[in-house]
Amino acid sequence: MRVSEPIQPAAAPKDRVDRNIVFNDWLASTAKFALRILVIAVFLYAVGQLIGTFWSGILPVVLALIVCTVLAPVAAAMRRFKVPAGLAALLTMLLFFGVLAALGMIIAPDLVGQSRLLYIQALEGVQRLQLWAQGPPLNLDPESLNEGVDEITQWVQTKQGRSQAASSPASTLPRAYQ
């Protein structure tokens, strides 16, 4: 190397990518991903609304499919032992309802005993919540708080009465023939 020649800076590699291009690619892929998530969320919301609308008809079908799936092997085993198909189905259903009744008889006493305790604990929890709401952060008036609780209770009871009346086919039959 001669002294008279200036030192040349190292040439930039040809494969370098500008960071604006990388950022724009990242932004585009993020936008596409967000759009996909949004489309999936809208689809799931629509399916949920559709199922919610027809739930009183879908639930019995789903439960029937589950029960049939569980009981089919029992009926098939009876048919292998030369039990006629109709009798096998009848015996399987009687066995199923017998098992449900036995489970009910086993669980019912504990359920009754715990329901009293659960009622007392729920009442105690509501009272604690009311006392907390009357305290410093919210400072709610006890009378207005009781009125609000009564309104919520009435609203729940009316909704419960409507849903039970609407879900029971036997309750709609007399009204249909009037």
Side-chain angles (χ1 to χ4, degrees):
M1 179 187 230
R2 287 194 246 163
V3 178
S4 61
E5 289 183 20
I7 299 176
Q8 298 290 331
K14 302 284 184 195
D15 60 347
R16 284 186 77 177
V17 179
D18 188 21
R19 63 178 82 143
N20 285 334
I21 295 172
V22 172
F23 182 74
N24 287 340
D25 288 344
W26 176 82
L27 193 61
S29 66
T30 303
K32 289 176 186 176
F33 181 73
L35 183 63
R36 287 181 190 133
I37 295 296
L38 186 63
V39 167
I40 290 171
V42 167
F43 175 74
L44 289 176
Y45 176 77
V47 167
Q49 290 297 317
L50 187 67
I51 288 175
T53 302
F54 298 111
W55 186 246
S56 62
I58 293 174
L59 180 64
V61 172
V62 169
L63 291 176
L65 286 173
I66 291 171
V67 169
C68 288
T69 303
V70 170
L71 297 180
V74 176
M78 286 185 189
R79 279 181 279 175
R80 279 194 299 270
F81 288 114
K82 305 294 184 207
V83 177
L87 184 61
L90 178 68
L91 291 174
T92 302
M93 290 304 293
L94 288 175
L95 177 68
F96 173 70
F97 286 120
V99 168
L100 281 181
L103 285 174
M105 289 189 314
I106 291 171
I107 294 173
D110 290 335
L111 190 66
V112 169
Q114 290 177 3
S115 67
R116 291 183 191 123
L117 179 64
L118 183 63
Y119 171 75
I120 292 169
Q121 288 176 345
L123 185 63
E124 188 178 295
V126 168
Q127 289 173 346
R128 282 186 189 171
L129 186 63
Q130 286 177 337
L131 289 174
W132 174 80
Q134 293 169 5
L138 300 177
N139 294 327
L140 293 177
D141 182 36
E143 292 175 10
S144 64
L145 190 61
N146 287 336
E147 289 173 6
V149 168
D150 291 340
E151 287 178 15
I152 292 171
T153 303
Q154 289 175 354
W155 179 79
V156 168
Q157 287 174 347
T158 58
K159 290 292 182 182
Q160 182 182 12
R162 287 182 196 159
S163 67
Q164 285 177 348
S167 65
S168 171
S171 67
T172 58
L173 285 178
R175 283 184 262 148
Y177 292 108
Q178 289 178 355

